[in-house]
Structure formats: C-alpha cells, structure tokens
Amino acid sequence: STILTAFIALSMGWFNEDYTQATAQILLQISAQLADNSSRSVVAQPPSFEVSTVDVAINILWFLSLVLSLAAALFGMIVKQWLREYSMWKTEPPQNAIWLRQIRYKAFLQWKVPLIVALLPGLLEVALVLFMIGIIAMLWTLDSMLALVVSVASALLAVVVFSVVV
C-alpha cells in the first residue's frame, strides 16, 4: 500500500494540464505569427488538454490494487480479532468454557472465517498483479526496451508464483 501510494501520488499529476507545455505552444504560435509578418491578428489558443486513455487505465489498475491490498489488511485485522475472541473461552470456568467455545465455533463457521482467511493471500496476489500490469503499461509509454525487460521479468515471476500457488 505504501509503494502504491507513492506511485498514485506521482500519477495524479497526469490528470492536470502541463502549463509549461501549454505556454510553450502559445509562444510558438506567437512566434510563427510574428515571423509571418501578416497584418491579421490571430489570438493564440492554448492546446486543448485531454487525459490519455493509458493514464486513466494505469490509475484504475493502481487504485484497484490499493483497494484490494487495504481490504486484505482490514480483513486480516478483523480475522485476528475474531481469533482472539474465539480463544477467550479458555479463560472461562470449565462449565461455561464448553458452551462458549461451541457458540463461537458455530459463529466462526457461519461467518465463513476459514474461507476469509484462505482468500486473504489471493487478494494480495491480485493486488500485486494489478500493480505490475500498471507498472508495465506505464513503462511502455516511456521506453520500449525497459518495458520489455520488466515485462519478461514480471511474466517469469507470475509463472513461478502461479506454479507455487497451484
């Protein structure tokens, strides 16, 4: 989540217009008009700003990854609380302990705590995959050689992780 937050903070700038670039475009228009020496006056227009589809897609991947990793952390804390409460029956007098343990065990199963525990690593794995896809998409917009190397390394990692998980 911390690493994702750093990338998201950086990528949020992609949704704002680069005023340096807009100023440079306007100055080029003015310079072209002055070089033309025409008597007609044309108002320099700033270029229209539009967020690229790739930037939006990368941010979607990273925000989904952040949501999933935070959900895994939250559910991990909730499960830890459930397990702490579940084991508290040991401090009860013996006649109450069996009754309390059985009630908590039924609730434990009813709330599907073992399934939630089993799904937590999956949430983190999906979050990591989304993050890596976002990184690779970003790198393809910057440099193809760097993107290719990271894509191959990520694919190898994915194969190893998939093999271990299966």
Side-chain angles (χ1 to χ4, degrees):
S1 296
T2 304
I3 292 169
L4 271 166
T5 303
F7 278 95
I8 289 171
L10 174 71
S11 70
M12 291 310 295
W14 302 344
F15 290 90
N16 297 323
E17 184 174 5
D18 182 3
Y19 292 110
T20 306
Q21 183 66 28
T23 303
Q25 288 287 358
I26 291 172
L27 288 174
L28 283 173
Q29 284 180 341
I30 293 171
S31 176
Q33 288 174 354
L34 290 174
D36 188 23
N37 283 333
S38 66
S39 59
R40 60 185 171 95
S41 88
V42 178
V43 177
Q45 295 290 326
S48 63
F49 174 71
E50 192 173 307
V51 178
S52 75
T53 307
V54 174
D55 291 344
V56 173
I58 291 169
N59 274 278
I60 288 170
L61 291 168
W62 286 350
F63 274 101
L64 284 175
S65 179
L66 180 62
V67 167
L68 292 178
S69 65
L70 290 175
L74 176 64
F75 282 115
M77 289 187 318
I78 291 170
V79 166
K80 185 177 177 184
Q81 290 174 341
W82 283 340
L83 292 174
R84 188 185 67 234
E85 288 299 317
Y86 176 73
S87 65
M88 293 300 283
W89 62 270
K90 296 175 186 174
T91 61
E92 294 290 322
Q95 56 272 35
N96 292 339
I98 294 173
W99 175 78
L100 185 58
R101 185 224 172 259
Q102 188 61 29
I103 288 175
R104 288 186 176 157
Y105 180 73
K106 283 182 180 179
F108 192 75
L109 294 178
Q110 181 182 1
W111 285 94
K112 310 221 184 302
V113 174
L115 176 65
I116 292 171
V117 170
L119 291 177
L120 290 179
L123 277 176
L124 288 176
E125 290 163 5
V126 171
L128 179 64
V129 167
L130 292 174
F131 174 69
M132 291 306 296
I133 292 170
I135 287 287
I136 291 167
M138 180 190 71
L139 291 177
W140 278 107
T141 65
L142 300 176
D143 182 69
S144 59
M145 180 56 76
L146 177 61
L148 182 63
V149 170
V150 173
S151 296
V152 169
S154 298
L156 290 173
L157 175 66
V159 168
V160 170
V161 169
F162 182 74
S163 300
V164 170
V165 169
V166 169

